[in-house]
Amino acid sequence: MALTARRMEPVTILQRERPMRPDILLVLAYFALAALGIIMVYSASAPRLEAFGEDPSSLIRRHLAFVGIGVVAFVLSSAIPGRTLRTMTPAVYIGSIVTLVAVLFAPKLAGVNRWIQIGDFQFQPSEFAKVAVILVLALLLAGAHDRLRLGHIARGIALVTVPAALTFFQPDLGTMLVFSFIAIAMLFVGGTTWRQFAFLLVAAIVIAVALFQVGALREYQLTRLTAFLDPTADLDATALYNQRQSEIAIGSGGFLGKGLFEGTQTNLSFVPAQATDFIFTAVGEQLGFIGGAIVIALYSLLVWRILAAAAAGREAFTRFVAVGVATVIVFHVFVNIGMTMRLMPVTGLPLPFISAGGSAFIAMSIALGLAHSVWMRRSPVPE
Amino acid sequence: MSFGARLLVLGLAFLTLFSVLTLRLWQMQVTAAEEYRDQAETNLVRIVETPAPRGEIRDTEGRLIAGNRPALAAVVEGSLLPAADDPAIDELVQRLAAFSGLPASEIAVVLAEARERGDRETILADLNDEQAVFLVERDELFPGISVVPQPVRVYERGSSVPHVVGFIGRPDADDLEKPGIGPTDVLGKAGVEREYDEVLRGAPGIVKYQVNAQQEILETLGEQPPAPGGTLILEIDLDLQEVLNDALEQGLTLARLSHSARGCVPGDADPGCPVRAVGVVLDATDGAVLAMSSVPGYDPDLFVDGVTQAELDALPEGVFNNFAIQGQYAPASTFKAVTYVTAYENGLTPRETGSLEDEIECTGILEAPFTDASQLVWRNWKRADDGLQNIHRALVRSCNTYFWDIALNLWNEFKETAGEDQLQDWARSLGLGARTGVDLPFERHGIIPDRNLFEEWAAEQEAGGPRRLDPARLDLASPWLGGDLLQAAVGQGSVLVTPLQLATTYAAMVNGGTVWQPRVVREVVDTDGRRLLANPRQALNRVELSPRTVLQLRRDLQQVVNSPEGTAFAAFEDFGEGKSRVGGKTGTAQVIRARELEDGTTVDAVNTAIFVGVAPIDDPKYVVVVIIERGGSGGGDAAPTAKPVLQFLLNGPGAVTAVRPGAEDFD
């Protein structure tokens, strides 16, 4: 008895009272990416601001503030237990739909309905909607109890279609694609058959093609995409110009890069939107292949740790949350870096934790915190 | 598949995506880094071309014919324009259209062109002061547009020598193929402006700037000033040119008045109305073109600021063509000098005479004993018999019968042998039947017909080509007949020459046999007067003419003008001092034959008047050719028109007298 009791005891302790320790590797990768982001945003913005006679540190100060808020959000969301999160999910989803509707009625900024101006801050609902979509899909898949039926798939599609349609009207093609990619990846892990998975992929492609056909895409979206698909298109067209400049900048960086603040293309501002969408261009030009490879390695580390959390999660809901978070990061990284190297069309997705942009940094930090929380509350024994 | 397995598949998929990124990064930054580095280099430099002032054109004395004056132009910098899909571009087009008065569509094309080429294109040249100030003061309304110095062509004396000088204009599709020609560039379209376009254009200057992505200039990296175009020094003498222009205008006016007392308008309604007068003055010793004119002419200034269709329609037909090299005329009796030289050099004579000095009767009618399909009865221009004539008197009196007789004898003796073409061979070796290669564009080649050419034409015609021969000839054993040789001997039939060819050939015959290539540009010099290009005299051919032939020909040409029975005697009666040093030959080419129609109405003869003058005849320096198209007779109309030119050449401006009609019925 005593033997048995002694053997049982540690199990109980582990299950209930194991102290919650942070995943050091995940946190380090997160901080490293954020720190690199701070340096690159400064390098990419300061010379240009100075040239326009403005305070060269104005953008970086804003970015630092967002990083601070983001880190706090990461810590706070790391502390949310799965149960609490589950009860919050319907409200988060509905709230997010409401803000996506609201943004359509907000005054246009830069010609699109993408931001809601709150004081000095431009709130971008679609960034937070990504988190909401992950949560609501995790809830749905957890409810299927490993027996995914067609009904679940249909509800999953419906839950994603609403925010996707709303972002389409902003218009924000990139975020729409993010929602689709999250849904397909999460449904796959949730247990679709291969046939269903194939059907979902084909359906996504058909819908994309159909949107082209009915001319629902705004003209500039078409130009960007068709210019990308047609390599003979005129390189001077604005759509391809950006990408071409970015490609030249990265390629000319070479193995070791031109050195921080020494980017002739980025610092002379040949590359547009280099503090935001094209931030990787500045990395590639100034820090070379070494710098670029380190960035990709940091993301790989991050994604590995999130997938480890997914594998070790205590309950189905939180495991699916981790899968969704990994997916959203991978999709952003691949589309964004691929865009700067002319592997992917220009869609305007930020590079997680590096690009300047408050909503994106905070939303991604929250998502990462939720995945981190899954790891900290993982099962005592690996499955 | 368990949750763990599915997670593994997802992880592997993610790994694949990140591997693709890393491989692409390696390919760009390690494998192809060098190429990208070159591209990055060119990204940083903007090259702006500054146009070179177009070279001047001056006459032989250095007098300015075409130059430039400083002016400002509105240009568009392709690299500074708003993006193609920016609404600002439409506003810009509308503003520029309102500003310039040009159609918006045209402006849009120029802007698109500038953007595509990334270079500078002209929107509006030669701005006035208000326009320039307006643009400079409102530059924020005109993004990408700037005002730059751009000299404008000025033709000081263009209307004196329009056909030699030519004019400038925008490039056509062919021109755009040439390197360095943009759609809003200006280049020579005719005359020496075209022929010497490259040297006149000079080389544009280049300024290299370091720029940022907004193409804003950070610093100047280097500068190379434009190399102005070279100055053309022509052989043309403007004083002589003006005398020739005046004479041709007077001659044309008189010819029109003699056609109809109230003057006339050329065209289909009046085929007999004199169309134009063409003149060339050639230096017989080196081929220099001293004057060249075609009346009516035009003012090249018309084209500097662009010309409207209405302006073009108001001009007489063919006004832009240089008929001295593009007009092809039957030389008529002026060709007899070629037959004359051939007869002397080859020992040809009329039938039944042993020598060219022997006299035969110049009958009004020649009956030719042809057995082929040739015409059998040939009538001289003078219907009555004209007395006993040897070759000298036959040239002075322009007796067709005598020259036909020589041709008949030649035909009888040589037909269908190698010697059959000896007359044509002489004509060709003296410079006829082929382009002279004068340094002007669009020259025509003339025609010296022979059996080969006629057989060629017949073959083309049978294959559906142009109708050049009477179809009845196609059925004959050979389309070339004895009668064709007789026609050729007096410069009729299919023989065609340009006025410049005729001058070149006469120069060769009187200078002892050197066919000088005609040229209008003597040299090209730079702005400091240093010679960039010399155009020395060049012989197209040297024919060994016996001195006796040359002396006899000069003497007989002198008699045409000086003997009371010469065909040009009346025209030169008031020549004044030095008339004995003038020689020449008249010609009257039949354009429309006089005949009676079936309804009883008559068609009047229409003839083109030709005169070739040579002076001083004892040591020939100048050859003057005057042709009045549909203008009457050589002795009655062309010779009197050439007279003031020869007076000027021999005795200077004070000796010139007005054109006065000569004797009407002289050939």
Side-chain angles (χ1 to χ4, degrees):
Chain A
M1 282 298 283
L3 254 175
T4 321
R6 281 224 307 270
R7 272 172 55 195
M8 291 294 291
E9 213 174 35
V11 177
T12 333
I13 290 168
L14 273 174
Q15 223 165 9
R16 291 205 179 133
E17 295 171 33
R18 190 184 63 144
M20 292 195 294
R21 292 221 176 85
D23 182 341
I24 298 297
L25 285 178
L26 183 141
V27 172
L28 279 181
Y30 169 54
F31 283 177
L33 287 168
L36 186 68
I38 290 164
I39 295 167
M40 293 321 299
V41 166
Y42 182 69
S43 164
S45 65
R48 188 172 199 172
L49 289 169
E50 202 165 10
F52 282 112
E54 290 173 35
D55 177 4
S57 61
S58 61
L59 184 74
I60 193 66
R61 280 208 308 265
R62 279 174 76 84
H63 185 62
L64 277 170
F66 290 132
V67 169
I69 297 170
V71 170
V72 171
F74 169 78
V75 172
L76 290 178
S77 51
S78 297
I80 302 177
R83 182 170 309 185
T84 317
L85 192 60
R86 189 165 13 185
T87 53
M88 284 166 64
T89 294
V92 168
Y93 180 74
I94 289 165
S96 152
I97 297 295
V98 169
T99 55
L100 282 178
V101 173
V103 78
L104 293 178
F105 297 99
K108 288 190 177 199
L109 287 171
V112 291
N113 289 103
R114 202 171 291 173
W115 296 277
I116 297 174
Q117 185 86 30
I118 302 170
D120 210 15
F121 177 63
Q122 285 136 24
F123 170 67
Q124 194 178 349
S126 60
E127 292 298 332
F128 296 94
K130 291 168 188 170
V131 181
V133 162
I134 291 169
L135 292 179
V136 80
L137 284 176
L139 196 61
L140 175 81
L141 293 171
H145 300 293
D146 281 347
R147 278 187 297 279
L148 197 69
R149 299 215 177 80
L150 270 178
H152 292 110
I153 297 178
R155 266 183 288 162
I157 292 171
L159 287 170
V160 167
T161 303
V162 175
L166 288 169
T167 49
F168 176 77
F169 288 115
Q170 289 186 0
D172 186 351
L173 188 66
T175 304
M176 211 180 90
L177 293 174
V178 171
F179 292 147
S180 322
F181 192 76
I182 292 171
I184 292 172
M186 286 182 71
L187 285 169
F188 167 73
V189 180
T192 59
T193 62
W194 284 105
R195 189 184 288 183
Q196 287 164 341
F197 176 67
F199 170 80
L200 285 175
L201 269 184
V202 170
I205 292 166
V206 167
I207 289 168
V209 172
L211 287 176
F212 272 100
Q213 292 298 329
V214 299
L217 286 176
R218 299 289 170 101
E219 202 175 335
Y220 82 93
Q221 294 173 328
L222 263 177
T223 320
R224 280 177 178 181
L225 284 169
T226 50
F228 173 76
L229 294 172
D230 176 11
T232 62
D234 184 3
L235 282 182
D236 288 336
T238 328
L240 230 86
Y241 171 83
N242 296 353
Q243 240 184 341
R244 181 83 190 124
Q245 293 302 326
S246 164
E247 188 189 356
I248 291 173
I250 295 175
S252 64
F255 189 75
L256 291 173
K258 296 175 186 167
L260 207 53
F261 305 109
E262 301 292 325
T264 54
Q265 306 298 296
T266 44
N267 289 351
L268 290 173
S269 55
F270 277 95
V271 180
Q274 47 180 297
T276 55
D277 294 352
F278 281 90
I279 188 90
F280 187 79
T281 309
V283 176
E285 187 190 16
Q286 298 178 25
L287 304 180
F289 177 77
I290 292 292
I294 287 175
V295 167
I296 295 172
L298 286 171
Y299 282 119
S300 305
L301 179 63
L302 206 61
V303 169
W304 168 51
R305 293 317 304 153
I306 298 169
L307 289 179
R314 190 190 290 249
E315 51 175 321
F317 171 67
T318 55
R319 288 201 294 258
F320 284 119
V321 168
V323 169
V325 171
T327 304
V328 80
I329 290 175
V330 169
F331 189 72
H332 276 81
V333 168
F334 183 74
V335 172
N336 179 285
I337 296 185
M339 166 186 84
T340 63
M341 299 193 297
R342 227 151 61 87
L343 278 180
M344 297 295 285
V346 177
T347 45
L349 290 184
L351 189 59
F353 313 120
I354 296 187
S355 289
S359 298
F361 190 92
I362 295 167
M364 280 292 176
S365 295
I366 293 172
L368 187 67
L370 296 178
H372 188 217
S373 163
V374 176
W375 170 259
M376 291 200 299
R377 291 169 179 77
R378 66 187 179 278
S379 307
V381 285
E383 279 184 53
Chain B
M1 209 161 40
S2 71
F3 178 81
R6 285 172 185 271
L7 212 51
L8 191 64
V9 171
L10 192 67
L12 289 175
F14 290 171
L15 189 64
T16 310
L17 292 180
F18 281 4
S19 306
V20 168
L21 291 183
T22 313
L23 285 175
R24 170 72 173 151
L25 200 59
W26 177 269
Q27 185 259 323
M28 282 169 64
Q29 295 192 305
V30 181
T31 316
E34 207 50 50
E35 288 163 39
Y36 285 113
R37 234 166 259 150
D38 291 345
Q39 290 176 20
E41 204 60 42
T42 55
N43 230 348
L44 302 176
V45 177
R46 189 172 118 213
I47 292 172
V48 173
E49 285 196 351
T50 48
R54 196 169 173 84
E56 294 171 343
I57 302 174
R58 292 177 177 273
D59 89 335
T60 190
E61 302 283 337
R63 287 171 289 206
L64 190 63
I65 298 173
N68 305 288
R69 67 179 158 76
L72 294 171
V75 298
V76 51
E77 295 284 357
S79 48
L80 296 182
L81 275 177
D85 52 2
D86 189 329
I89 200 83
D90 294 327
E91 281 172 34
L92 178 61
V93 168
Q94 294 308 327
R95 283 202 191 103
L96 284 172
F99 169 76
S100 66
L102 298 168
S105 56
E106 206 171 286
I107 288 174
V109 168
V110 174
L111 296 194
E113 190 78 34
R115 177 185 293 109
E116 190 182 309
R117 292 165 164 258
D119 69 358
R120 179 183 276 183
E121 303 288 349
T122 306
I123 300 272
L124 194 63
D126 198 12
L127 302 176
N128 61 35
D129 289 351
E130 289 92 70
Q131 288 172 320
V133 168
F134 182 88
L135 276 186
V136 170
E137 284 184 346
R138 292 172 182 72
D139 59 344
E140 75 284 353
L141 292 179
F142 295 94
I145 308 296
S146 39
V147 174
V148 298
Q150 197 181 84
V152 168
R153 197 62 153 170
V154 183
Y155 291 103
E156 297 283 344
R157 299 287 298 274
S159 53
S160 301
V161 254
H163 299 103
V164 172
V165 170
F167 54 90
I168 55 174
R170 294 270 182 253
D172 57 27
D174 288 344
D175 297 327
L176 287 173
E177 303 287 316
K178 297 178 202 161
I181 303 282
T184 57
D185 285 341
V186 157
L187 75 172
K189 307 295 278 183
V192 292
E193 288 273 33
R194 181 189 181 99
E195 190 76 12
Y196 291 86
D197 186 56
E198 219 174 302
V199 62
L200 283 169
R201 268 213 315 273
I206 287 171
V207 188
K208 262 183 168 179
Y209 297 111
Q210 170 149 37
V211 294
N212 64 11
Q214 281 72 47
Q215 298 285 324
E216 287 160 345
I217 292 162
L218 303 179
E219 62 175 310
T220 305
L221 297 175
E223 199 168 343
Q224 188 189 319
T231 299
L232 304 188
I233 306 292
L234 303 186
E235 295 285 7
I236 302 282
D237 178 336
L238 277 179
D239 292 340
L240 174 65
Q241 178 76 24
E242 294 290 7
V243 171
L244 177 64
N245 288 341
D246 279 355
L248 293 177
E249 259 158 42
Q250 291 178 44
L252 185 61
T253 306
L254 283 175
R256 283 181 179 166
L257 285 174
S258 69
H259 170 71
S260 152
R262 282 167 299 155
C264 61
V265 178
D268 292 340
D270 187 358
C273 182
V275 179
R276 62 177 62 83
V278 184
V280 175
V281 180
L282 198 65
D283 187 327
T285 65
D286 64 4
V289 176
L290 306 176
M292 180 180 263
S293 183
S294 185
V295 171
Y298 66 97
D299 188 346
D301 238 354
L302 198 60
F303 293 90
V304 169
D305 290 328
V307 62
T308 65
Q309 194 58 44
E311 284 175 300
L312 290 179
D313 290 344
L315 295 168
E317 200 189 332
V319 76
F320 299 117
N321 293 334
N322 183 354
F323 282 88
I325 57 169
Q326 290 173 269
Q328 299 187 106
Y329 302 96
S333 299
T334 59
F335 190 82
K336 284 172 184 160
V338 176
T339 310
Y340 178 109
V341 166
T342 308
Y344 263 111
E345 292 295 308
N346 290 12
L348 301 174
T349 63
R351 295 165 300 170
E352 294 157 22
T353 59
S355 155
L356 291 166
E357 316 300 327
D358 294 347
E359 292 182 330
I360 57 170
E361 180 66 31
C362 177
T363 51
I365 293 179
L366 175 87
E367 287 186 36
F370 284 120
T371 53
D372 57 19
S374 296
Q375 179 185 330
L376 296 177
V377 178
W378 297 70
R379 289 174 197 280
N380 190 13
W381 62 272
K382 193 173 164 75
R383 293 296 152 91
D385 289 357
D386 205 26
L388 285 171
Q389 301 186 352
N390 59 12
I391 194 166
H392 310 296
R393 193 153 175 245
L395 192 73
V396 174
R397 294 292 301 149
S398 202
C399 174
N400 285 353
T401 320
Y402 186 92
F403 288 92
W404 282 331
D405 213 324
I406 292 177
L408 204 47
N409 203 12
L410 163 62
W411 178 256
N412 289 339
E413 196 173 336
F414 292 100
K415 70 176 166 194
E416 289 161 31
T417 70
E420 179 187 73
D421 296 335
Q422 49 189 292
L423 175 62
Q424 295 95 313
D425 289 343
W426 268 97
R428 281 189 278 259
S429 64
L430 288 167
L432 299 178
R435 291 189 182 86
T436 64
V438 67
D439 47 351
L440 287 171
F442 312 122
E443 188 188 11
R444 304 287 294 271
H445 52 65
I447 293 170
I448 298 298
D450 58 14
R451 189 184 297 277
N452 278 343
L453 184 73
F454 268 45
E455 284 175 355
E456 224 171 84
W457 283 359
E460 281 175 25
Q461 199 162 322
E462 272 173 349
R467 184 184 184 280
R468 293 196 182 99
L469 298 171
D470 180 348
R473 288 184 181 235
L474 302 184
D475 303 328
L476 305 176
S478 170
W480 178 253
L481 301 175
D484 295 320
L485 184 66
L486 265 63
Q487 292 269 36
V490 297
Q492 298 270 9
S494 299
V495 179
L496 290 178
V497 302
T498 68
L500 184 64
Q501 280 179 330
L502 193 57
T504 305
T505 298
Y506 262 80
M509 290 189 293
V510 298
N511 75 16
T514 305
V515 185
W516 294 111
Q517 181 169 53
R519 65 215 150 82
V520 295
V521 171
R522 187 172 65 216
E523 60 182 347
V524 183
V525 298
D526 67 13
T527 40
D528 299 326
R530 280 187 302 256
R531 180 183 287 175
L532 297 174
L533 191 138
N535 216 358
R537 68 177 190 179
Q538 216 171 341
L540 286 172
N541 194 15
R542 285 178 202 275
V543 188
E544 286 300 318
L545 290 181
S546 80
R548 177 169 160 254
T549 306
V550 176
L551 287 173
Q552 303 241 21
L553 178 64
R554 288 180 188 167
R555 202 189 65 205
D556 291 338
L557 292 176
Q558 194 263 1
Q559 286 297 298
V560 170
V561 172
N562 288 277
S563 159
E565 60 174 18
T567 52
F569 179 78
F572 282 80
E573 261 191 316
D574 67 339
F575 188 86
E577 199 188 325
K579 181 177 142 188
S580 64
R581 299 172 67 205
V582 177
K585 182 71 192 85
T586 59
T588 305
Q590 183 176 286
V591 181
I592 297 172
R593 190 164 48 90
R595 60 188 189 278
E596 199 166 318
L597 296 180
E598 280 171 14
D599 61 7
T601 57
T602 55
V603 174
D604 291 335
V606 175
N607 297 315
T608 285
I610 308 166
F611 180 77
V612 185
V614 180
I617 194 67
D618 48 337
D619 182 16
K621 169 77 174 160
Y622 307 109
V623 174
V624 179
V625 169
V626 167
I627 293 184
I628 302 180
E629 199 175 324
R630 308 199 171 202
S633 72
D637 299 271
T641 305
K643 179 204 67 182
V645 179
L646 287 155
Q647 286 173 320
F648 177 87
L649 288 169
L650 285 182
N651 301 325
V656 173
T657 58
V659 176
R660 198 175 55 85
E664 196 43 60
D665 61 341
F666 279 125
D667 180 39

